[in-house]
Every structure is written in C-alpha cells, then in structure tokens.
Amino acid sequence: GLSSLVLAARFGGIGTDDIPGLTATRLYIGYGGAVAGCVLIFLAVMGMSNIPRPLIYLGKISYGLYVFHAGILGGLKFLMVRLKLASFSVSYILIVDVTGLLCCIIAAHLSYRYFETPFLRLKERFEVVHSRPA
C-alpha cells in the first residue's frame, strides 16, 4: 500500500504542485495508484486482530484532521513561498509535509478535546438507543 502511494506521488504527480509535463493521463494513473494504496492499507489494518492505539486515536480525531488539513497545508505552503524555498527541495517536503502532519494532529486533538467532546457528552443525555462510548 505504501509503495503504491509513493509511486502515485512520484509518477502520477499526486501531492505535488506545478510539475512540468503533468498530463491528465498521468493524473489518472496517479489517483488510481493513490486509491489502490489507500485500499491496500485499509485492508491490511482491517485484518489486524489488535489495532495499535495511535491508529484508533487517529480514527477518533479524523473529522478534525479532515477539517484542518487544507488550511494548515495552505498556510505552510504560503510560508514556504514567502521564505523563497524551492517547491521540490527536501527541506520544502520536510517542512510542509511533516510539520503539516504534526500541526494537523495537534489541531484535531485540541478540537476533539475542547469542542467535540462536550457535544458528544451532551448527545448522551438525549439518546434513546445507547451507543457505544467514544
């Protein structure tokens, strides 16, 4: 699954901006490879008898990850343009991707802890059929 994602990024232009020679065919191949990689990773995790706690926690905060990722990555890319770093350098990839991932996880954690959890507790007061705890 990870290999498929790496190949999709390398040859299909997925996760990159403004690649010279990027065509619709390359994008179709890239997105197809990205979908295949995600499905393979999903199937690998589903086959596990005990899922690692960090993956369970990422599942809990997944809505926050979805909500905040575009803004955080856009802000970091804007910062990189202001710092005049080349968009294909190793430092650019490390700063934007790794820092972006960490910032997204922190923002999603804070959102889950201080915004979503009170609403989940409030929901429990009005539920007719008890759902499993979050």
Side-chain angles (χ1 to χ4, degrees):
L2 290 175
S3 298
S4 180
L5 289 175
V6 168
L7 290 172
R10 174 68 180 105
F11 298 110
I14 305 303
T16 55
D17 296 331
D18 301 326
I19 295 178
L22 189 61
T23 63
T25 304
R26 283 185 64 193
L27 282 174
Y28 291 141
I29 292 169
Y31 278 108
V35 167
C38 291
V39 168
L40 290 171
I41 291 170
F42 176 76
L43 292 175
V45 171
M46 289 303 295
M48 297 172 70
S49 59
N50 55 354
I51 299 172
R53 293 182 62 81
L55 287 181
I56 292 172
Y57 186 71
L58 286 177
K60 278 187 177 184
I61 66 170
S62 63
Y63 182 71
L65 293 172
Y66 161 73
V67 167
F68 296 116
H69 84 278
I72 289 173
L73 290 175
L76 287 171
K77 287 179 181 180
F78 175 77
L79 179 65
M80 294 299 100
V81 168
R82 301 286 288 165
L83 294 175
K84 294 180 173 66
L85 286 175
S87 62
F88 296 113
S89 67
V90 173
S91 59
Y92 177 88
I93 292 170
L94 287 176
I95 292 171
V96 171
D97 292 344
V98 174
T99 306
L101 176 63
L102 293 175
C103 290
C104 286
I105 290 173
I106 290 168
H109 166 76
L110 293 173
S111 172
Y112 182 79
R113 173 70 175 91
Y114 296 108
F115 184 71
E116 294 175 48
T117 303
F119 281 104
L120 291 172
R121 276 194 233 115
L122 185 63
K123 179 184 86 168
E124 291 172 359
R125 290 179 51 194
F126 297 103
E127 69 185 358
V128 176
V129 177
H130 295 289
S131 59
R132 61 186 177 151

